[in-house]
Amino acid sequence: MEAPSNTSTISNTPAMEQPPSLTELPPSSQATPSPARGRGRDHPKSRGATRGRGDRKNRHDVGRSEWARKSGDRRARNDAAQESAKRQRLDDGTPVRKPVYAVDFSKEEIEGEERRPKRKVAVMIGYSGSGYKGMQLNDKEKTIEGDLFKAFVAAGAVSKANADDPKKSALVRCARTDKGVHAAGNVISMKLIIEDPDIVQKINENLSPQIRVWGIVRTNSSFSAYQMCDSRIYEYLIPSHCFLPPHPESYLGKKLVELAAEAGDLGGYRQRQEEVATFWDETEEQYIKPFLETLDPSIRPLVLNALYHNASTEEEEGKRLDLGTRSVNDDPTTQDQKTTKAIQTERPTHKVEENTAISPSTRSDPDSLTHEPQEPTPAPPNPTEPALQQPSAVETALRTLRHALITAKNSYRLPPTRLSRISSFLALYPGTHPFHNYTIGKTARDPSAKRIIKSFTLAPTPIIINDTEWLSLTVHGQSFMMHQIRKMVSMAALVVRSGCPVGRVLESYGPARMVVPKAPGLGLLLERPVFESYNAKGRGEGRAEVGFGGWEDAMGDFKQREIYERIWREEERDRTFHVMFSNIDNLKSTQLLYLSSKGMAACDEGGDAGVAETHGRKGLVVEGESEDEDGEPEDG
């Protein structure tokens, strides 16, 4: 059957070579050291030692650097390892559980199906990541690719013979997104049966509204959505209140003032915080004081004690705060489970009336009020006393104060000077820099930590949703490492809200290790990948371009309905950003004191044990499982 034209558009490795062991080297390379002191001529590291260079023609006799260069890409190695493990289970007689995305057909059904040609295509898709364990196929979990593959099978785009394994259709994704991360535009390349002109519509009919196929474009046979992608554009949505300064009575708030004074920069610090200097005082006068006056005088001390001093302990705060780092002794699965449980807060049982005059106090850490009590309020000193209703009254008052605080923070609007300051920090990211402090498991000397950022901009007009102001940040980069975008956003928020000197971002490119918490994945959105080089070459060959032209309106509606609305609803329900910055402000540790006027010197002075464990002198950090386009989880 003749293949259709390459311009058609439909819309509506081998096992890894191992490095040589010493026993595999030729005798001339196994020289023994001289018994005399120092190195003799035959010592392996002696300049005059015989290294057996003539035997380098042997494919096993290569240096480690050369072997590493020839070892293939990480995805191919991972696939080979998975296939090897599967064969081993079969050889051992261990039952092999079919992946959740595999579709079973009987032998008769497979043999009875008409054989139709497959074509190499690029599939343009969009999705909301809520409720999914990321983009990439997972044998046991619900993922975007898993649902897509089953829809391809149901629509007839994948034959029944290939319905049990996406590898048979050569599925390759452009960018792997992490759990809960969204994409308005992403691309996968694979071989599909596309004779049916209504194939896109049929695929979408078998998908949930959270996932859409925008179109399918014929490509050349060598096209790979991963290899041919030149760069990626991401958007990050963040509430404006994340740029409010730490509360004056929080640990971080006190240390910032104290260290600014020690560094002789108190005047500069206050100038950098000038536009938000009165926020907490005004909040106390408008909300906290009037509410406290309505309470029974007998419970006011209990409320104040719980509000100011019964916050989570240092250890509890440290567990809840996800710094995006792990020691080599941590189990990734256990760590993720601990983090998930730790940041969960008690859901509100009632809404605060709009006219209720209540909110935070300058005598407490306001961000910490976003947490519901982790344990019941302690009983009075004498449990035999009849005042058994006091804890309930105190708890009710605390809950009201916490919700009022959230209302006050949501009403904050960034002044132009603060917006300009945010843009000035974002402008320090573009260029080629070592972003080792914005991922995990890499050092400043690691070549793979160098990434190219083309632009990082702030939308000039904030968005108002349900009385909350949101900012839209857009970053365009060649590639991104694990957590990189979320840590870059977090650093920008931290330096602005902490009144940090502008040079701190530039210092993060140096050899010093900085602990940068990662911002919530909730606000991250893959806008689209860019295939500029492939499309430029294809224009001269008459090929259709791989991109999202023609679907802008549909993508805009989808973003508003399935992505933006979900982000806002989930933040309203879970208070994810409130929780994150509350934990940061109350973390009694020197790990984040580089945000002060004293910089990294403040971290060194503290001798914090937590720093030594995660980022200590020996650098005991490891990379987690990656989900980005480089095979390093997340932001890709």
Side-chain angles (χ1 to χ4, degrees), residues 203-323:
I203 292 171
N204 283 327
E205 288 173 353
N206 288 280
L207 290 169
S208 77
Q210 280 185 245
I211 307 176
R212 292 292 89 182
V213 171
W214 305 123
I216 300 176
V217 175
R218 278 290 309 277
T219 66
N220 61 22
S221 59
S222 62
F223 177 78
S224 165
Y226 171 64
Q227 298 289 348
M228 303 296 184
C229 181
D230 295 304
S231 59
R232 298 151 178 85
I233 300 173
Y234 278 84
E235 180 181 15
Y236 194 94
L237 297 179
I238 183 171
S240 291
H241 62 71
C242 296
F243 296 89
L244 280 169
H247 190 277
E249 291 299 318
S250 68
Y251 175 81
L252 183 58
K254 291 179 179 179
K255 296 299 290 186
L256 290 175
V257 175
E258 174 188 325
L259 295 173
E262 291 181 11
D265 186 44
L266 189 57
Y269 171 77
R270 287 175 175 167
Q271 182 180 11
R272 293 188 290 272
Q273 300 284 44
E274 183 177 6
E275 64 271 17
V276 291
T278 62
F279 176 83
W280 294 117
D281 288 335
E282 293 172 355
T283 299
E284 180 182 8
E285 291 296 328
Q286 182 178 356
Y287 296 102
I288 287 290
K289 288 184 177 179
F291 178 71
L292 288 177
E293 291 174 359
T294 66
L295 296 178
D296 188 320
S298 65
I299 69 169
R300 286 180 193 172
L302 294 175
V303 174
L304 291 174
N305 182 70
L307 189 62
Y308 303 151
H309 307 297
N310 197 34
S312 301
T313 65
E314 175 182 346
E315 292 77 17
E316 290 170 335
E317 293 292 353
K319 289 178 182 177
R320 282 209 302 271
L321 178 57
D322 186 355
L323 296 175

Side-chain angles (χ1 to χ4, degrees), residues 487-507:
K487 283 176 174 279
M488 292 167 73
V489 170
S490 175
M491 176 64 95
L494 289 172
V495 294
V496 171
R497 70 194 301 271
S498 300
C500 192
V502 71
R504 198 69 75 243
V505 171
L506 298 178
E507 291 176 23

